[in-house]
Amino acid sequence: MAPRDQSCGDGGEVDPEGGIEAPLLSSGSSFFQDPAHEDGDGDEEARRRRRRFLLAGRSQSNTTSQVALVGVGVCPIESLDYELIENEVFKQDWRARGRGHILRYVALKWALCFLVGVLSAAAGFVANLGVENVAGAKFVVTSNLMLAGRYGTAFAVFLVSNFALTMLATVLTVYVAPAAAGSGIPEVKAYLNGVDAPDIFSLKTLVVKIVGCIAAVSSSLHVGKAGPLVHTGACIASILGQGGSSKYHLTCKWLRYFKNDRDRRDLVTCGAGAGIAAAFRAPVGGVLFALEAVSSWWRSALLWRAFFTTAMVAVVLRALIDFCKSDKCGLFGKGGLIMFDVTSDYITYHLVDLPPVITLGVLGGVLGSLHNFFLDKVLRLYNFINEKGQKYKLLLAAVVTICTSCCLFGLPWIASCKPCPSDTEEACPSIGRSGNFKKYQCAMNEYNDLASLFFNTNDDTIRNLYSAGTDDEFHISSILVFFFTSYFLGIFSYGLALPSGLFVPVILTGATYGRLVGMLIGSQSTLDHGLFAVLGSAALLGGSMRMTVSVCVVILELTNNLLMLPLVMLVLLISKTVADAFNANIYDLLVKLKGFPYLEGHVEPYMRQLSVSDVVTGPLQAFNGIEKVGHIVHVLRTTGHNGFPVVDEPPFSDSPVLFGLVLRAHLLVLLRKKDFIPNCSASALDASKQFLPHDFAKPGSGKHDRIEEIEFSAEELEMFVDLHPFTNTSPYTVVETMSLAKAHVLFREVGLRHLLVLPKSSKRAPVVGILTRHDFMPEHILGLHPFLFKTRWKKVRFGKSAFTNLVF
């Protein structure tokens, strides 16, 4: 669309459908506004239509990229902008900064990393200690009732306590912070890719995440703490990076340096790594997890700060562990921190051990890919149920927790009693925390090995599977029953409307699987069966999450045994390779299922057949350098664009020329300030004196101003505003003949929100369109060019997923 002929805005007609070109509508767009955020009940039917549109299968893909499932709520989403804005106001601010400002900026970066590490460690300690005491008290009470022969009362206490804890976590999540549901890793991964959504890092999300995680894990659901702690660390980092929470009057003015997406992205990356370090006391594994699993951009300076952050986590956790040794940490006084020690003092392996290890890796890849397949189907079923309303979310959680409690309490009754090991110095039974509770109906010199697996926290069960080295303590049938139960309970427990993680349940199921393989084919190997359990965890993690380096280091830090490194590496490589042949990793599946417009690191082959002009849609909305207030207000109210080209025309230039790009957020600041000029002429005022840089600072994650909140008089609408001092004069541009694949690489690697498309000929309008994240989405491209359906094929990708099905 060519700019208007007149040199100043006249409030001319604007196509109200122009918003279709904008990839990610702002919260001002009424259609994509979540009714949950509006006054009253909202349009329930419209909300359900949006949810069905978002969560449908391939036949109804999300073609808007404007809404996504955040936690358990459908929310409008936007792109983040990592580009440096170069306009007069910001240039003047940088000129005014001296050496002291730069030193303060660098010092604050490291200080914030220190705070993120300390607070993430404290959050992880509170979560672990809470689970240790709440779950421990539940097991002690139930154990005492079992010892007294009151089995019905014991089951009632076990069931009611699990039900109450699950409902507590679900109610908090559904009614207070829907964004706190799930692990939060898909949301963090999408944010670090450049996608923002309301409340994903808010203070209430942080509080509900911690409290809900304690309740959910203590309720004996097969969920873990690692994912929620990653989200918790990211929340802490984001809140600190935005200067606190203005809603709760917890702000710091000296943090204004970080009021931009670029610095917050780096801090959130450090927070994600700190979360893993707090969950597993694995500082190096935390850094590698942030690098391998969630981040889309990485550089050496960020590596240093992430490592410093996780190191602070390790130091603080060690101090808290020493504090707990004085019996000041509640019922058990251990802090609940994970450290699984393998029993073998010296691990040795030979060539004869390779076939069993290779078999373990192959089967782990198959089981991991099946885990992702079943989880995807279950989550789609849960989404269909959840769309019916909040009561159904509570009902679903209630059904799952009741079934889980029945399985955990009832299945051990089918196991036969085993005689106590004669070579142990401990009282029988020697496995688990709850002592004689494990006996069930067994005699004094016998114990129930299946109960020792079911009636424990996930952490303690993993510790038992890793440390037990002989077949005398577990029967193969008990291991088999526990494997299938934990495999499917982990799948059905994730996706409920409560904080839950996948990492620990997968480790638990993998340990059971590895132990089972060791018992079946261990006679042909010299490896200890506890070591087979460790390798089984690595195999299932590699098959499900497809992480190699980070998982390898986390496993080594968990077990505190470096001698296993070659075997763990071999198992991970084999399981990942096998699983990649079937589907994508679990986090990519979750990102896609939630509808986040995620930009992959690779380019689809069909993008090379298109130029950028083939996907640019219109009409394009552009402003003149000196624009009429009424026209700006009209455009902002009728479109959802977040960036507008600014074009100078005669008499301000000899011919129409692109001056730059002005952001919607900056226009709202200008309109709210109402520093207008009465006529269509260049303003003589110094913009740097009228506005301060922090006036244009980015608000917190998911928070945006709305044009509807600003009121104008009739006289103000007839006035003008000079956009030149506030326009980014050096936006990234591409020529319209550039291939879409090449533009995709530029857009993702630089972290852009807008990419201006310039004409090949100088005789045309100075700008022909704007590329945004939406224009690179496969659904959008294939919707514009259906013939590409016939040219898509199955392609081997060893980076993300090996055989990615590209045929609908």
Side-chain angles (χ1 to χ4, degrees):
M1 173 181 176
R4 300 182 306 281
D5 294 334
Q6 53 268 53
S7 60
C8 292
D10 62 351
E13 186 69 23
V14 178
D15 183 4
E17 297 299 323
I20 60 173
E21 86 175 53
L24 303 173
L25 291 182
S26 69
S27 57
S29 177
S30 59
F31 179 80
F32 290 101
Q33 181 70 29
D34 187 3
H37 298 280
E38 300 174 357
D39 295 333
D41 296 333
D43 188 352
E44 184 69 17
E45 182 59 29
R47 181 185 66 81
R48 292 182 179 181
R49 285 198 304 267
R50 283 196 299 274
R51 181 184 289 271
R52 285 194 295 267
F53 181 67
L54 174 66
L55 301 176
R58 287 181 171 179
S59 60
Q60 294 179 333
S61 299
N62 176 18
T63 58
T64 64
S65 304
Q66 295 162 332
V67 290
L69 184 63
V70 180
V72 289
V74 176
C75 300
I77 56 176
E78 286 195 2
S79 277
L80 299 172
D81 194 351
Y82 301 133
E83 181 182 0
L84 293 177
I85 304 298
E86 295 182 346
N87 57 29
E88 274 306 314
V89 175
F90 285 90
K91 286 181 180 179
Q92 184 62 31
D93 176 58
W94 279 104
R95 296 189 195 104
R97 292 188 180 186
R99 185 182 184 88
H101 288 83
I102 298 176
L103 292 177
R104 189 183 309 169
Y105 174 72
V106 175
L108 281 176
K109 278 189 173 182
W110 289 97
L112 285 180
C113 289
F114 172 80
L115 290 176
V116 170
V118 171
L119 294 178
S120 297
F125 179 77
V126 169
N128 281 286
L129 195 61
V131 173
E132 179 88 2
N133 285 277
V134 174
K138 177 186 67 178
F139 284 124
V140 166
V141 172
T142 310
S143 174
N144 292 335
L145 292 172
M146 293 287 289
L147 287 173
R150 301 169 60 185
Y151 301 119
T153 306
F155 173 67
V157 170
F158 185 71
L159 178 64
V160 171
S161 60
N162 288 342
F163 182 84
L165 290 169
T166 301
M167 288 297 101
L168 172 63
T170 307
V171 168
L172 287 175
T173 303
V174 171
Y175 292 102
V176 179
S183 68
I185 292 180
E187 285 79 1
V188 174
K189 185 180 177 73
Y191 179 87
L192 295 179
N193 189 257
V195 180
D196 193 14
D199 294 330
I200 56 174
F201 297 137
S202 66
L203 184 60
K204 66 178 182 180
T205 300
L206 172 62
V207 174
V208 172
K209 200 76 177 184
I210 296 175
V211 177
C213 176
I214 295 174
V217 177
S218 301
S219 68
S220 295
L221 289 174
H222 270 55
V223 296
K225 304 182 292 290
L229 285 178
V230 170
H231 194 183
T232 297
C235 286
I236 292 172
S238 179
I239 292 173
L240 290 175
Q242 68 189 34
S245 175
S246 58
K247 180 178 179 180
Y248 300 99
H249 306 289
L250 301 172
T251 58
C252 296
K253 294 182 178 180
W254 52 275
L255 291 177
R256 289 173 178 169
Y257 288 104
F258 301 94
K259 291 281 189 176
N260 61 82
D261 292 332
R262 181 183 293 266
D263 287 329
R264 290 179 188 169
R265 174 192 67 187
D266 292 349
L267 205 56
V268 169
T269 303
C270 295
I276 286 293
F280 298 114
R281 205 168 62 180
V284 179
V287 175
L288 295 176
F289 173 84
L291 169 63
E292 186 177 10
V294 295
S295 66
S296 296
W297 295 277
W298 197 266
R299 60 186 189 279
S300 58
L302 180 58
L303 176 65
W304 278 100
R305 289 200 296 273
F307 184 73
F308 173 74
T309 305
T310 58
M312 291 301 100
V313 174
V315 171
V316 173
L317 285 180
R318 171 53 61 185
L320 292 173
I321 291 174
D322 293 338
F323 174 77
C324 283
K325 290 180 179 179
S326 59
D327 296 329
K328 297 179 180 179
C329 292
L331 187 63
F332 296 99
K334 298 179 181 178
L337 296 169
I338 303 173
M339 181 57 72
F340 309 130
D341 295 319
V342 178
T343 54
S344 299
D345 295 329
Y346 180 76
I347 296 176
T348 179
Y349 36 86
H350 308 281
L351 188 62
V352 69
D353 299 317
L354 290 183
V357 172
I358 293 174
T359 302
L360 195 71
V362 172
L363 294 178
V366 174
L367 290 173
S369 61
L370 284 175
H371 175 273
N372 294 356
F373 173 79
F374 289 133
L375 183 62
D376 179 77
K377 300 303 180 183
V378 169
L379 290 180
R380 291 184 183 275
L381 174 63
Y382 283 4
N383 290 332
F384 175 77
I385 297 174
N386 289 337
E387 75 174 16
K388 298 181 181 298
Q390 295 174 332
K391 295 181 180 179
Y392 286 86
K393 298 175 184 177
L394 300 178
L395 179 61
L396 178 61
V399 171
V400 172
T401 189
I402 291 174
C403 293
T404 300
S405 298
C406 292
C407 289
L408 297 183
F409 195 93
L411 287 177
W413 291 90
I414 68 174
S416 58
C417 297
K418 296 191 64 175
C420 296
S422 57
D423 57 346
T424 180
E425 298 179 356
E426 299 181 10
C428 179
S430 60
I431 303 174
R433 178 195 296 143
S434 303
N436 290 334
F437 176 49
K438 304 300 186 302
K439 290 191 307 180
Y440 269 71
Q441 71 275 30
C442 297
M444 291 300 298
N445 61 341
E446 296 178 333
Y447 73 101
N448 189 312
D449 60 342
L450 192 55
S452 68
L453 296 172
F454 279 115
F455 275 93
N456 256 329
T457 62
N458 291 339
D459 296 348
D460 284 336
T461 303
I462 295 171
R463 189 178 290 110
N464 293 336
L465 290 169
Y466 281 5
S467 60
T470 65
D471 289 340
D472 294 334
E473 295 176 346
F474 295 109
H475 193 274
I476 189 171
S477 60
S478 299
I479 292 292
L480 190 63
V481 170
F482 184 74
F483 166 71
F484 283 107
T485 305
S486 62
Y487 188 85
F488 288 103
L489 283 182
I491 292 174
F492 284 100
S493 297
Y494 188 82
L496 300 177
L498 46 75
S500 57
L502 283 170
F503 221 110
V504 172
V506 172
I507 291 178
L508 172 61
T509 306
T512 311
Y513 149 71
R515 180 119 188 130
L516 179 62
V517 172
M519 297 173 70
L520 292 174
I521 63 176
S523 59
Q524 304 176 17
S525 172
T526 62
L527 299 180
D528 183 83
H529 292 165
L531 179 56
F532 266 105
V534 177
L535 296 178
S537 295
L540 199 58
L541 284 172
S544 176
M545 301 182 180
R546 315 294 161 82
M547 296 180 293
T548 53
V549 180
S550 57
V551 168
C552 181
V553 174
V554 167
I555 290 292
L556 295 180
E557 289 181 293
L558 278 177
T559 57
N560 197 25
N561 199 317
L562 191 61
L563 296 174
M564 296 186 301
L565 177 61
L567 295 180
V568 174
M569 292 174 61
L570 179 62
V571 165
L572 283 170
L573 290 173
I574 294 175
S575 62
K576 181 186 184 303
T577 303
V578 172
D580 277 342
F582 298 100
N583 50 31
N585 71 73
I586 187 60
Y587 295 128
D588 284 348
L589 290 176
L590 291 175
V591 167
K592 182 178 180 181
L593 181 64
K594 286 176 173 288
F596 289 114
Y598 188 86
L599 286 177
E600 298 287 352
H602 60 270
V603 176
E604 296 289 354
Y606 57 82
M607 288 186 179
R608 303 188 183 277
Q609 305 177 35
L610 302 173
S611 62
V612 294
S613 60
D614 294 325
V615 297
V616 170
T617 57
L620 174 67
Q621 296 291 348
F623 291 134
N624 288 288
I626 300 178
E627 187 60 81
K628 194 173 184 179
V629 174
H631 181 64
I632 296 177
V633 172
H634 180 69
V635 171
L636 294 181
R637 286 178 175 173
T638 56
T639 70
H641 303 331
N642 287 291
F644 303 88
V646 176
V647 178
D648 274 339
E649 296 184 353
F652 300 102
S653 63
D654 296 334
S655 60
V657 60
L658 175 66
F659 185 80
L661 183 76
V662 63
L663 298 180
R664 182 188 190 93
H666 293 180
L667 289 174
L668 291 174
V669 173
L670 298 179
L671 295 177
R672 191 180 296 275
K673 191 86 171 182
K674 296 187 177 182
D675 191 14
F676 305 143
I677 53 179
N679 50 50
C680 183
S681 60
S683 176
L685 298 176
D686 187 355
S688 62
K689 296 180 179 179
Q690 300 295 323
F691 295 87
L692 297 176
H694 67 260
D695 292 334
F696 299 94
K698 181 77 178 288
S701 177
K703 302 175 183 177
H704 308 281
D705 292 330
R706 300 180 61 182
I707 185 62
E708 290 81 6
E709 298 172 353
I710 307 176
E711 297 181 356
F712 301 93
S713 64
E715 293 79 8
E716 290 172 338
L717 292 176
E718 295 298 322
M719 299 181 74
F720 297 85
V721 59
D722 189 354
L723 301 180
H724 292 99
F726 314 99
T727 300
N728 181 11
T729 57
S730 57
Y732 283 89
T733 61
V734 295
V735 68
E736 61 181 340
T737 56
M738 176 182 285
S739 71
L740 188 61
K742 194 172 182 180
H744 177 278
V745 173
L746 174 64
F747 193 93
R748 187 184 188 276
E749 293 303 318
V750 181
L752 300 177
R753 184 174 188 175
H754 306 99
L755 185 59
L756 297 182
V757 180
L758 305 184
K760 186 71 172 179
S761 173
S762 59
K763 297 180 181 180
R764 299 171 57 191
V767 58
V768 297
I770 300 180
L771 285 176
T772 53
R773 179 178 293 266
H774 173 65
D775 296 305
F776 296 100
M777 293 296 105
E779 295 84 1
H780 171 71
I781 299 172
L782 297 174
L784 293 175
H785 305 282
F787 71 91
L788 292 174
F789 279 108
K790 300 179 181 180
T791 65
R792 304 179 85 198
W793 61 86
K794 292 183 179 180
K795 178 177 179 292
V796 177
R797 286 198 198 101
F798 291 101
K800 289 291 182 182
S801 60
F803 292 90
T804 302
N805 190 359
L806 298 179
V807 181
F808 283 75

